Amino acid sequence: MIIAVDGPVAAGKGTLARRIAKKYSLKYLDTGALYRAVGLKLLKSGQDPTDPVAAVAAARQVGDISPDDPALRDEKTGEAASIVAANEGVRAKLLQYQRDFAKRAGGAVLDGRDIGTVVCPDADVKLFVTASAEVRARRRFDELTGKGTATTYEAVLEDLRLRDARDSSRGAAPLKKALDAHLLDTSKLDIEAALDAACRIIDAAHKGP
Ligand code: DC
């Protein structure tokens, strides 16, 4: 079984996708981490994420960045990831890895922006996880201040709106709900309620009509 989980920044899709993978004993891939690794590779070598040639070269060396590097989760890295993610050459470099992962025996859960539309258009279940911009900004603000990052709610909301606009308006595999994806709005749901809702959708799809 392949499950695609897409949605905008801070919608809760990563936590949800991890919990789904655990519950159904599936492998899990955070595809955003691949774009973050490309962004971080550029930042670490003092290169500009908007430079298309450098970005594609960094995508070839994405394995140089450890998945445990804490800098992957920094806001600066997220910003760089969003910029390199608009580069078609970068997307093409990362596509095959994601598809191969999805085909692994036993099935997989992948979360990102274009899993249901581009990476796994034949996924067995597609979830589009979202929440209002205000709720997402509040969650991200709490997460950042919890880690000791000095910021304001307003700055986080503005950054999130910019990221949403960039991810949704780019020409290459923009963030959008696949026609056959199930919409899951987590604005008023905690993780347990979101997981229950997702499992109902997955179980119904798995049993078939
Ligand atoms: O989910 P995230 O914040 O870790 O993703 C970082 C950036 O990577 C995000 O701004 C958009 C991009 N991304 C993408 O374009 N396609 C994906 N499948 C996953 C992430």
Side-chain angles (χ1 to χ4, degrees):
M1 173 161 65
I2 294 175
I3 302 179
V5 182
D6 288 304
V9 61
K13 61 186 188 311
T15 311
L16 183 63
R18 273 190 194 87
R19 293 285 301 269
I20 292 171
K22 192 163 176 222
K23 183 168 166 91
Y24 293 91
S25 302
L26 301 167
K27 298 260 184 288
Y28 167 67
L29 181 65
D30 168 6
T31 67
L34 301 175
Y35 292 92
R36 285 174 179 267
V38 177
L40 184 56
K41 173 93 192 150
L42 291 163
L43 295 179
K44 282 195 173 188
S45 56
Q47 288 172 294
D48 181 354
T50 63
D51 175 343
V53 177
V56 174
R60 279 197 204 101
Q61 298 156 2
V62 76
D64 293 359
I65 300 287
S66 158
D68 301 321
D69 191 326
L72 277 175
R73 307 313 313 169
D74 287 354
E75 288 301 279
K76 263 195 191 149
T77 306
E79 173 73 14
S82 175
I83 294 169
V84 300
N87 179 315
E88 282 189 40
V90 170
R91 303 201 75 85
K93 285 273 168 292
L94 301 181
L95 183 60
Q96 199 55 48
Y97 176 82
Q98 296 172 77
R99 286 193 171 149
D100 290 345
F101 186 96
K103 280 197 212 116
R104 277 189 190 183
V109 182
L110 287 84
D111 85 52
R113 303 292 190 288
D114 63 337
I115 309 303
T117 50
V118 175
V119 179
C120 302
D122 299 327
D124 301 280
V125 184
K126 298 180 188 178
L127 301 174
F128 191 84
V129 183
T130 190
S132 71
E134 290 74 16
V135 167
R136 291 185 289 124
R138 174 60 58 190
R139 286 178 188 158
R140 182 48 60 101
F141 173 73
D142 290 346
E143 189 189 323
L144 288 171
T145 50
K147 284 195 294 193
T149 307
T151 186
T152 62
Y153 167 78
E154 288 71 26
V156 173
L157 179 61
E158 195 188 323
D159 177 58
L160 184 138
R161 289 204 160 116
L162 274 173
R163 293 263 300 275
D164 279 357
R166 193 186 293 121
D167 292 346
S168 310
S169 66
R170 67 183 180 219
L175 167 69
K176 65 170 187 229
K177 180 183 164 299
L179 287 176
D180 53 349
H182 298 265
L183 183 69
L184 188 53
D185 187 329
T186 66
S187 299
K188 294 187 179 145
L189 304 180
D190 64 13
I191 177 61
E192 299 305 330
L195 181 65
D196 277 355
C199 290
R200 279 196 296 276
I201 294 168
I202 295 165
D203 293 342
H206 211 44
K207 278 192 209 106

